[in-house]
Amino acid sequence: MKKIRRRLGVLTSIILILSLTGCYYDEGLEDITPTPNDDVSFAADIQPIFNQYCASCHNGGLDPDLREGTSYNFITVTDPDQVVPGDAEGSELYQRLIGVGNIMPPSGALSNTDIDLVRDWINQGALNN
């Protein structure tokens, strides 16, 4: 009987210690939201993404034409629904990258970093810079 009480006391102590420390990390967690990239450049940031992941299919035979030298004009003038300056959520290009409709590229989603660059470039006005 004494062994049972002793074990029960030890078990109660362990449970008490765990319950007092178990919620330590629940307090003060910061909201993790991505920080927008400042001054995204079409030439330096966006076109390289198109070159690496998109232009092999979207090479003039499949719209939008995302080849270097034609892509900016195509996605902003020829097919203005592709990119709505200042509105990534309203832009078909961004929607495809995040998986709305047919996800692009079909080989698998881009990294979050690349998707964020495209989003921020569009939200910054989709400048040809």
Side-chain angles (χ1 to χ4, degrees):
M1 189 67 149
K2 287 183 180 182
K3 284 184 178 183
I4 293 174
R5 280 189 182 173
R6 200 162 129 208
R7 287 184 181 175
L8 192 56
V10 170
L11 183 60
T12 303
S13 297
I14 291 172
I15 291 172
L16 179 62
I17 290 170
L18 290 175
S19 68
L20 292 175
T21 60
C23 297
Y24 174 78
Y25 292 105
D26 290 347
E27 296 179 19
L29 289 177
E30 296 177 24
D31 182 26
I32 302 172
T33 48
T35 334
N37 298 290
D38 294 330
D39 301 323
V40 181
S41 164
F42 180 78
D45 299 311
I46 305 306
Q47 187 62 54
I49 294 170
F50 292 166
N51 292 345
Q52 183 173 358
Y53 299 104
C54 312
S56 61
C57 293
H58 292 276
N59 56 14
L62 179 64
D63 289 342
D65 185 349
L66 298 178
R67 293 175 295 168
E68 196 158 350
T70 60
S71 60
Y72 183 81
N73 189 57
F74 198 99
I75 61 177
T76 59
V77 177
T78 305
D79 188 357
D81 291 337
Q82 287 293 322
V83 171
V84 179
D87 183 14
E89 294 295 325
S91 299
E92 188 175 335
L93 172 66
Y94 179 71
Q95 292 298 311
R96 293 291 183 97
L97 294 178
I98 62 171
V100 176
N102 294 330
I103 189 167
M104 289 291 143
S107 59
L110 297 179
S111 70
N112 288 337
T113 302
D114 287 342
I115 293 171
D116 290 348
L117 277 170
V118 172
R119 178 202 62 214
D120 295 342
W121 170 72
I122 295 170
N123 285 337
Q124 292 169 15
L127 303 174
N128 188 8
N129 53 359

